[in-house]
Amino acid sequence: MSVVDDGSLKHPPESPVDQRWKFLVFYLCFYGFMTQIRPGESFITPYLLGADKNFTTVEVTNEITPVLSYSYMAVLVPIFLLTDYLRYKPVLVLQSLSHISIWLLMIFGTSILAMQFMEFFYGITMAARVAYSSYIFSLVTPSHYQRMASYSRSAVLMGVFTSSVLGQLCVTVGGVPFMTLNYVSLGFMLFGLVLTLFLEQPKRSLFFNKSSGPALSELDKMHPVEGKPVPPAPSHWRSLALFRMLRELGTFAKLPQLRLWSLWWIFNSAGYYLMLYYVQLLWNEIYPTTDNRKIYNGGVDAASTLLGAITAFAAGYVKIRWARWSELVIGAVTAFQAGLLLLMSTTSHIWLCYGAYILFRGSYQFLVPIAIFQIAASLSKELCALVFGVNTFFATVLKTIITMIISDKRGLGLSVHPQFYVYFAYFTLLAVVYLGAAVCVAMRHRWRKVPQGPAFAKELSSPVEEAPGKERSTEPGSVHI
């Protein structure tokens, strides 16, 4: 049925505003791209173990690297709250300053303590990523959220890919020393700080600085049109909004799909990031070459980033009955990842280990957008951000506990190969649990007749398209990740 627009329902013309917000979104994406150009990052472990720093494998594995998990957990919640309360830009400045501190310590630090501080600042930069991913929502109206978020995420992925390729070309083709790559990375981070200073300070945010009334573009608040006053935010919102939504999470936690994918986010992401933290050490043990030209960490990072982007994009077009098949899909992918971890732990061929790493990252990135779709399907934007924040916090706590037990010298202090056997056992246990849950779901559907028709059509749809109150894509059949 067609709806005739008689003119009374038209929105106010946005042409004067469009050019402004488009420029700011482009600038933010450019900033996101440039801050990922750190060609020395793929070669941090060979640099620390090499002649430049001459740390031992035990020192890097059991004393330096564990600090990253501890610092990330310590600063995650404060930065999450400060990001919203201070309205993004100050936290982005903090992130840039932390990046600069990392590379200054990498270049001039000579002690274990200096490298531990380097990992501490790295934890700050990881926690502050929420400021970049959230900033985009303060610039545009809700109708542009999905597409603009995909643009900002694509800019980051392109930056990581470009950085990895640049680093690999410098090392393999140009014979550039790791120390020089660190200076190049420091230069890009200084440029990133300059870019950060020119970002505009938003007037609103999701929780503490939420505006009332109809949704307006942030630019309407930064540069209000004459005769269109912006309604003030209610004074009680600052003190009640976040806590009220925390109470509401108890109700939403009863939704089966939200609970399942949140548990996947907590348990699988903890194992995923532990693997990322220690995989360069594993490569160095399998192939301990002193010829920097034969270290291909940058190329492997570039390939895994590209495959992750492809699989994440493909996941947006997967249409199955998630209420029935979610556990099976998660279980199958987790079992596949467990097999890859076993291969990485047992092989003595570096290229097999590289290939398993690439497939592991690609399979994880395949499930990330599906998890986002399933979690966001029944939540408002604010609650969705809060759920992801809570999930990330619990994943960080779990990751820190595992690090304290198996990696830290005050715990078991395992070397890197036994650690990967532990990760293999961890993912195997998760796969058994997920597949067992899939069997229970299949038996329940077999015993109980499930109504077809509209419910079936709804399950085949992307949650982004069906979520109540969410804006649909303007392009038929497209899903923006």
Side-chain angles (χ1 to χ4, degrees):
M1 183 178 66
S2 62
V3 178
V4 179
D5 189 351
D6 61 0
S8 60
L9 299 178
K10 289 183 179 179
H11 297 287
E14 294 185 357
S15 53
V17 176
D18 281 350
Q19 297 303 317
R20 181 68 178 164
W21 70 256
K22 287 179 181 178
F23 169 76
L24 286 182
V25 169
F26 171 80
Y27 185 83
L28 182 66
C29 292
F30 177 68
Y31 162 80
F33 174 85
M34 293 305 301
T35 53
Q36 298 301 316
I37 307 298
R38 304 187 291 270
E41 193 166 66
S42 296
F43 304 94
I44 288 179
T45 297
Y47 170 73
L48 293 178
L49 297 174
D52 291 305
K53 296 302 177 183
N54 205 28
F55 291 109
T56 67
T57 302
V58 173
E59 289 172 336
V60 176
T61 304
N62 305 125
E63 296 184 54
I64 296 174
T65 306
V67 176
L68 174 57
S69 296
Y70 304 153
S71 65
Y72 187 30
M73 187 187 74
V75 302
L76 180 61
V77 173
I79 286 183
F80 178 80
L81 297 175
L82 286 175
T83 295
D84 196 87
Y85 186 74
L86 299 178
R87 288 168 286 143
Y88 313 116
K89 181 176 177 178
V91 175
L92 290 174
V93 173
L94 173 64
Q95 185 185 47
S96 294
L97 292 173
S98 298
H99 273 305
I100 293 171
S101 301
I102 288 170
W103 295 104
L104 286 174
L105 288 168
M106 287 283 291
I107 294 170
F108 299 109
T110 57
S111 65
I112 291 178
L113 181 62
M115 295 303 103
Q116 288 174 333
F117 270 107
M118 180 269 293
E119 296 285 11
F120 170 76
F121 284 114
Y122 203 97
I124 293 177
T125 64
M126 291 182 64
R129 291 173 184 173
V130 66
Y132 173 79
S133 59
S134 304
Y135 187 101
I136 193 77
F137 297 118
S138 70
L139 298 178
V140 297
T141 54
S143 60
H144 295 93
Y145 281 166
Q146 291 180 19
R147 181 165 296 184
M148 295 306 107
S150 70
Y151 290 166
S152 64
R153 177 61 180 164
S154 299
V156 169
L157 291 176
M158 284 300 300
V160 173
F161 178 80
T162 303
S163 174
S164 302
V165 171
L166 176 62
Q168 190 63 62
L169 290 176
C170 289
V171 170
T172 303
V173 180
V176 176
F178 293 149
M179 180 65 80
T180 304
L181 286 183
N182 293 340
Y183 277 108
V184 173
S185 302
L186 176 61
F188 276 107
M189 293 305 97
L190 289 169
F191 180 59
L193 176 61
V194 174
L195 293 177
T196 309
L197 298 177
F198 288 96
L199 289 170
E200 291 211 32
Q201 177 89 29
K203 296 290 191 299
R204 63 184 173 94
S205 58
L206 289 178
F207 304 116
F208 294 107
N209 304 281
K210 186 177 177 65
S211 60
S212 61
L216 298 174
S217 168
E218 177 56 29
L219 295 170
D220 289 333
K221 296 174 175 58
M222 291 179 178
H223 310 284
V225 180
E226 196 171 328
K228 277 180 64 179
V230 178
S235 58
H236 65 279
W237 179 266
R238 297 175 183 271
S239 59
L240 295 180
L242 185 60
F243 302 102
R244 188 176 65 201
M245 283 188 289
L246 281 171
R247 290 194 300 267
E248 291 176 1
L249 284 183
T251 303
F252 285 101
K254 299 176 182 177
L255 299 176
Q257 288 298 296
L258 187 148
R259 184 171 62 247
L260 170 66
W261 286 97
S262 292
L263 290 174
W264 173 86
W265 195 283
I266 292 169
F267 287 99
N268 288 59
S269 65
Y272 170 79
Y273 280 104
L274 284 171
M275 186 277 298
L276 285 188
Y277 294 167
Y278 289 94
V279 72
Q280 287 192 22
L281 286 162
L282 181 68
W283 294 341
N284 189 77
E285 281 201 2
I286 294 175
Y287 189 62
T289 179
T290 56
D291 185 359
N292 293 348
R293 293 173 181 267
K294 295 182 179 179
I295 299 177
Y296 299 101
N297 296 9
V300 174
D301 283 339
S304 62
T305 300
L306 183 61
L307 179 62
I310 293 172
T311 56
F313 180 79
Y317 293 91
V318 175
K319 295 180 182 293
I320 63 175
R321 300 182 63 182
W322 290 109
R324 176 178 291 188
W325 301 111
S326 288
E327 290 84 357
L328 181 60
V329 171
I330 293 175
V333 173
T334 304
F336 176 65
Q337 291 174 324
L340 293 173
L341 286 170
L342 180 61
L343 176 61
M344 294 168 69
S345 306
T346 56
T347 185
S348 58
H349 300 283
I350 187 62
W351 286 104
L352 278 178
C353 192
Y354 283 156
Y357 169 78
I358 293 171
L359 292 175
F360 188 97
R361 288 194 66 184
S363 60
Y364 175 82
Q365 295 297 333
F366 170 74
L367 289 181
V368 167
I370 298 175
I372 293 174
F373 294 163
Q374 294 296 316
I375 292 174
S378 55
L379 302 178
S380 66
K381 175 165 60 74
E382 292 82 1
L383 270 175
C384 187
L386 192 59
V387 167
F388 285 119
V390 171
N391 289 347
T392 302
F393 173 74
F394 283 123
T396 305
V397 171
L398 177 61
K399 180 175 59 180
T400 303
I401 293 172
I402 297 174
T403 299
M404 291 177 64
I405 295 173
I406 72 170
S407 303
D408 199 297
K409 69 174 185 177
R410 291 163 292 188
L412 296 176
L414 299 180
S415 61
V416 68
H417 260 100
Q419 284 192 43
F420 269 75
Y421 281 115
V422 173
Y423 302 152
F424 159 69
Y426 176 81
F427 273 83
T428 300
L429 177 61
L430 290 179
V432 169
V433 173
Y434 292 138
L435 293 175
V439 172
C440 293
V441 170
M443 293 175 64
R444 189 164 59 243
H445 278 275
R446 183 180 181 87
W447 293 337
R448 183 182 62 193
K449 187 175 181 180
V450 181
Q452 304 291 326
F456 178 76
K458 184 175 181 179
E459 286 181 5
L460 287 178
S461 301
S462 166
V464 174
E465 297 170 351
E466 293 297 329
K470 301 277 197 306
E471 292 289 336
R472 294 173 180 258
S473 170
T474 55
E475 299 178 7
S478 67
V479 178
H480 301 292
I481 302 173

